[in-house]
Amino acid sequence: MIDNEVVSRIAKKIRSVRLEKNYTIQQLAHRSNVSKGLLSKVENSRTVPSLPVFIMILQSLDISLKEFFEEMVLLNGREYLLVKKGECTSIDREAGTGFHYQYILSQNIPNCAMEAMLLTLDPGAQGKPTTTDGYAFYYILSGSCEYQINQEVIRMDEGDSLYFNTSAPHLPVNKSRRKVVMLVMSFLVSK
């Protein structure tokens, strides 16, 4: 089975390269001999192109396989994935008007239970790093804080999100004078 995160990163990269080259979807469709509808589905992570179609798209974008995957390292080569506010990709999912989706994360986690919570972190809140068997997704709704994973400290501002393996010691730290409110989604792995 293909990892949704890999599919999403490929889709984002195709879109990014297309926009860098100032091609519309229609122009890329014409250059690659791939339908506009299929290209749209690929860019929005709704379908996975076959290998021949994928190669035709890359050739039409004048980018080699090596160049395409060169900077694409899952989890940034770290134990977490940080998505800053402006890095979310807009996607079209509804046929109607007024629906605005921004893609943040997709991850398959077998044998797990999911919990969703709102966490309000008071200024100067104290705690100790914790560990669990699973994964977590944090989205900052308001305020700014630091998040410690192992020995690394990550700055998070409103609109930023963080996904990581919770077996690493982790702790949010609020050094500001304002409360921080975040959406916390925990995926606890069953053994």
Side-chain angles (χ1 to χ4, degrees):
M1 179 165 192
I2 296 175
D3 187 321
N4 288 344
E5 182 65 19
V6 173
V7 172
S8 170
R9 287 177 167 245
I10 288 171
K12 286 181 187 178
K13 180 78 176 211
I14 289 171
R15 179 184 174 97
S16 170
V17 173
R18 177 180 62 78
L19 293 174
E20 280 175 22
K21 305 255 182 192
N22 291 317
Y23 293 152
T24 64
I25 286 186
Q26 182 63 48
Q27 289 170 322
L28 182 57
H30 179 73
R31 287 177 59 93
S32 64
N33 205 23
V34 174
S35 77
K36 181 179 171 183
L38 178 57
L39 283 172
S40 179
K41 286 180 179 180
V42 168
E43 283 192 5
N44 288 304
S45 303
R46 291 185 144 196
T47 192
V48 178
S50 66
L51 185 57
V53 168
F54 178 65
I55 290 171
M56 284 192 307
I57 292 169
L58 294 189
Q59 287 173 341
S60 299
L61 290 170
D62 298 317
I63 187 169
S64 69
L65 281 169
K66 182 178 186 253
E67 285 177 282
F68 185 83
F69 288 108
E70 194 167 44
E71 296 174 3
M72 195 182 302
V73 178
L74 291 179
L75 300 179
N76 298 327
R78 297 192 170 102
E79 296 178 4
Y80 61 87
L81 173 64
L82 175 66
V83 179
K84 299 300 274 181
K85 183 177 183 177
E87 295 175 351
C88 296
T89 302
S90 295
I91 59 173
D92 296 323
R93 288 228 158 161
E94 303 296 332
T97 59
F99 290 81
H100 307 281
Y101 287 96
Q102 285 196 305
Y103 179 84
I104 298 173
L105 174 73
S106 176
Q107 188 70 31
N108 287 332
I109 304 171
N111 302 319
C112 78
M114 191 272 289
E115 296 177 336
M117 299 162 271
L118 283 179
L119 169 62
T120 301
L121 202 57
D122 292 332
Q126 299 287 320
K128 293 181 181 179
T130 61
T131 61
T132 57
D133 290 329
Y135 300 86
F137 174 79
Y138 282 61
Y139 182 86
I140 305 294
L141 297 168
S142 65
S144 297
C145 70
E146 293 178 348
Y147 210 97
Q148 179 183 337
I149 299 177
N150 282 326
Q151 302 306 313
E152 190 162 358
V153 176
I154 303 153
R155 168 83 180 180
M156 295 182 68
D157 299 306
E158 185 175 311
D160 294 348
S161 61
L162 183 67
Y163 174 78
F164 61 96
N165 185 326
T166 56
S167 64
H170 57 278
L171 174 72
V173 178
N174 183 2
K175 294 182 179 178
S176 73
R177 295 181 187 174
R178 293 179 49 210
K179 290 184 177 187
V180 177
V181 180
M182 59 183 84
L183 171 66
V184 177
M185 296 180 71
S186 298
F187 303 92
L188 307 171
V189 178
S190 307
K191 292 191 174 193

